Amino acid sequence: MTWPVTSSIVALRSVEDHCAKVAGLIGSTPVRQSNTLAASGLVLAEPVFAPASLPLFDNSAVDGYAVHVSDLIGASAESPVVLPVAQHVPAGHFTPVASVVGTVAKIMTGAPVPAGSTGIVPVEGARVDGMRVEFGRPCDFGAHIRRRGEDVREGQNLLASGTVLTPLHAGLLAAVGVRSVPVHRRVRVAVISTGSEIIHRSSVLGIGQIHECNSVLLEAAVRSCGAEVTMCVSVSDSVDDFRAVLATACAGADVVITSGGISAGDHEVVKQALSTEDMEFEGVAMSPGRPQGAGRVFGTAVLSFPGNPLAAYASFEFFARRNLRLAMGLSPEERREATVPLAHAVESTPGRHSFHLARSNADGTVTVLTGAKRHGLGSAADANCFVRVGDTVGALRAGDLVRTVAL
Ligand SMILES: Nc1nc2c(c(=O)[nH]1)N[C@H]1C(S)=C(S)[C@@H](COP(=O)(O)OP(=O)(O)OC[C@H]3O[C@@H](n4cnc5c(N)ncnc54)[C@H](O)[C@@H]3O)O[C@H]1N2
Ligand code: MOO
């Protein structure tokens, strides 16, 4: 009698090869005009030139008096200069008349400086006497005047193509009157969890059922890298149901991520439903996350991750995150990385990449939290980073250096 070849001795695809396979499935997103708020975190596809100067007109930086500097030459506490207030200039809706020598204008912060005024004296630097104001010292030319264009010049290259837009950029664009910008749009991702035992976002469980967590985990992970989630559902182990849901998911997404149903059991719904499609189901040299599927269905990229929650997350980190970010023109990684010594020995399987949730310690070392049976998310509570150990590394001793990525 011959025994079937067990999966453990079947050659595994390398993590790098599988990542390249996934990268080949996910193209760059098209450029779309997007309002500046929605564009936060996205990459500018063209430079933005300032359509207007900032400030748009000479205005006062303080609440005070717009003066002719020449009127205050020689002013001192002993011999103050007293001048009449000829007009009041509030911020907003008032066009000041030109200022006459020998008079001042009361002016508020942000209000336009009257033509002819050459400096502003803050209210704290003047003494009011009815409609006359007393000045006890001279005023520097241009004092407290914000000049047109001193912050931004009309026509200047405001933001370069390739800029990752931040809230500050949104504010800058709004300040010069730009409402929308061309950006690489977000990757659209649909998430489908599978399994007849998983109960989607309900607290009522029957015997043998469990709370569904992968779709929540994956939706949050997709959002965290700037991509958009178009749908997030769970389906049972029915091939027909799964195919129907997948058809809808593929119609509205660039990428569909499934979890579960791809190993060696009797009800591997994803594998069975997609066996005739352009999909490859392989064992990949990583732990957790060995079973993987990737390909194209109805023209859409489909990534099939294993159902064990930590395996699904490791799969996202290894294969989805960098490729989703690259598709939007972002750098593959923006989280803080460090090379730090291990606080203790860690077992690793040569020939496999391993993924560990971990904690960076105050003494500069890192403690690995996930144990040998790395399937659950229990250690997520204490984790503040993760560690990836390469496939060429043997057992690790305390003090060996590993690379951490902040969560
Ligand atoms: N005979 C073999 N058995 C298994 C193998 C193998 O090679 N030979 N591989 C093991 C490995 S490694 C993994 S990982 C799992 C992956 O299996 P599936 O992708 O088919 O996932 P499921 O069987 O559907 O689920 C695995 C596990 O995770 C729980 N699960 C699934 N989805 C969710 C969810 N959305 N929320 C919470 N928990 C979920 C599920 O109940 C199972 O306990 O296969 C091993 N077996
Ligand atoms: O490698 Mo599985 O992916 O053990 O959890």
Side-chain angles (χ1 to χ4, degrees):
M1 171 176 182
T2 53
W3 291 95
V5 177
T6 66
S7 53
S8 58
I9 57 171
V10 169
L12 297 174
R13 175 185 272 184
S14 73
V15 164
E16 292 76 14
D17 283 355
H18 194 68
C19 197
K21 160 89 187 170
V22 172
L25 294 170
I26 305 175
S28 293
T29 58
V31 173
R32 293 273 185 276
Q33 199 68 18
S34 168
N35 83 61
T36 50
L37 192 57
S40 193
L42 296 179
V43 176
L44 257 187
E46 290 167 23
V48 176
F49 296 92
S53 291
L54 285 181
L56 205 47
F57 45 84
D58 291 0
N59 70 90
S60 178
V62 293
D63 298 319
Y65 296 93
V67 301
H68 292 262
V69 167
S70 54
D71 286 342
L72 302 193
I73 293 170
S76 66
E78 299 72 40
S79 175
V81 171
V82 181
L83 297 168
V85 178
Q87 61 178 321
H88 284 247
V89 191
H93 44 81
F94 183 79
T95 309
V97 295
S99 173
V100 176
V101 173
T103 69
V104 301
K106 187 153 196 198
I107 189 165
M108 299 298 117
T109 305
V113 175
S117 299
T118 49
I120 315 282
V121 178
V123 285
E124 297 87 340
R127 218 161 62 82
V128 186
D129 178 12
M131 283 303 285
R132 300 169 72 78
V133 189
E134 206 177 287
F135 298 93
R137 69 169 77 108
C139 175
D140 289 339
F141 184 84
H144 301 296
I145 295 178
R146 300 189 288 213
R147 295 289 181 198
R148 172 187 163 85
E150 73 177 21
D151 192 17
V152 171
R153 265 176 304 99
E154 182 179 337
Q156 92 176 51
N157 190 340
L158 201 57
L159 295 174
S161 177
T163 301
V164 181
L165 295 169
T166 65
L168 271 177
H169 296 138
L172 172 62
L173 291 165
V176 292
V178 173
R179 296 218 174 101
S180 70
V181 283
V183 287
H184 292 276
R185 75 151 165 78
R186 295 182 197 282
V187 193
R188 295 175 181 149
V189 183
V191 176
I192 307 174
S193 287
T194 67
S196 294
E197 75 283 26
I198 58 174
I199 299 300
H200 192 74
R201 301 182 198 187
S202 153
S203 57
V204 186
L205 298 182
I207 291 168
Q209 294 181 326
I210 60 171
H211 292 297
E212 198 283 313
C213 70
N214 288 353
S215 72
V216 182
L217 174 69
L218 291 170
E219 174 166 355
V222 167
R223 289 184 191 283
S224 77
C225 62
E228 175 188 341
V229 174
T230 54
M231 80 185 236
C232 182
V233 291
S234 302
V235 290
S236 71
D237 288 330
S238 150
V239 167
D240 288 345
D241 289 356
F242 174 74
R243 280 195 70 91
V245 167
L246 184 69
T248 309
C250 287
D254 305 304
V255 180
V256 177
I257 296 179
T258 69
S259 82
I262 58 167
S263 59
D266 291 342
H267 307 284
E268 304 299 2
V269 65
V270 174
K271 218 170 172 179
Q272 288 163 13
L274 304 185
S275 58
T276 56
E277 302 289 343
D278 179 19
M279 288 285 292
E280 291 171 3
F281 290 95
E282 298 272 349
V284 174
M286 62 188 277
S287 177
R290 190 178 50 75
Q292 294 288 335
R296 221 174 260 292
V297 183
F298 306 124
T300 300
V302 176
L303 313 184
S304 291
F305 295 162
N308 284 326
L310 195 59
Y313 184 65
S315 307
F316 185 87
E317 286 291 350
F318 277 46
F319 307 121
R321 193 169 205 281
R322 59 173 285 119
N323 286 321
L324 294 180
R325 285 181 58 83
L326 286 169
M328 296 182 282
L330 294 164
S331 64
E333 185 55 84
E334 92 291 18
R335 292 171 298 188
R336 198 162 34 83
E337 294 189 31
T339 302
V340 291
L342 275 169
H344 55 89
V346 172
E347 276 182 36
S348 75
T349 317
R352 298 260 195 121
H353 279 258
S354 52
F355 176 91
H356 305 270
L357 295 179
R359 173 144 208 100
S360 300
N361 302 313
D363 66 1
T365 63
V366 63
T367 299
V368 163
L369 303 172
T370 31
K373 291 184 178 166
R374 293 187 294 267
H375 293 138
L377 298 177
S379 48
D382 293 323
N384 60 10
C385 64
F386 68 80
V387 170
R388 265 181 81 155
V389 179
D391 55 0
T392 54
V393 180
L396 291 160
R397 292 160 305 174
D400 282 354
L401 295 178
V402 291
R403 194 94 181 129
T404 59
V405 180
L407 285 168

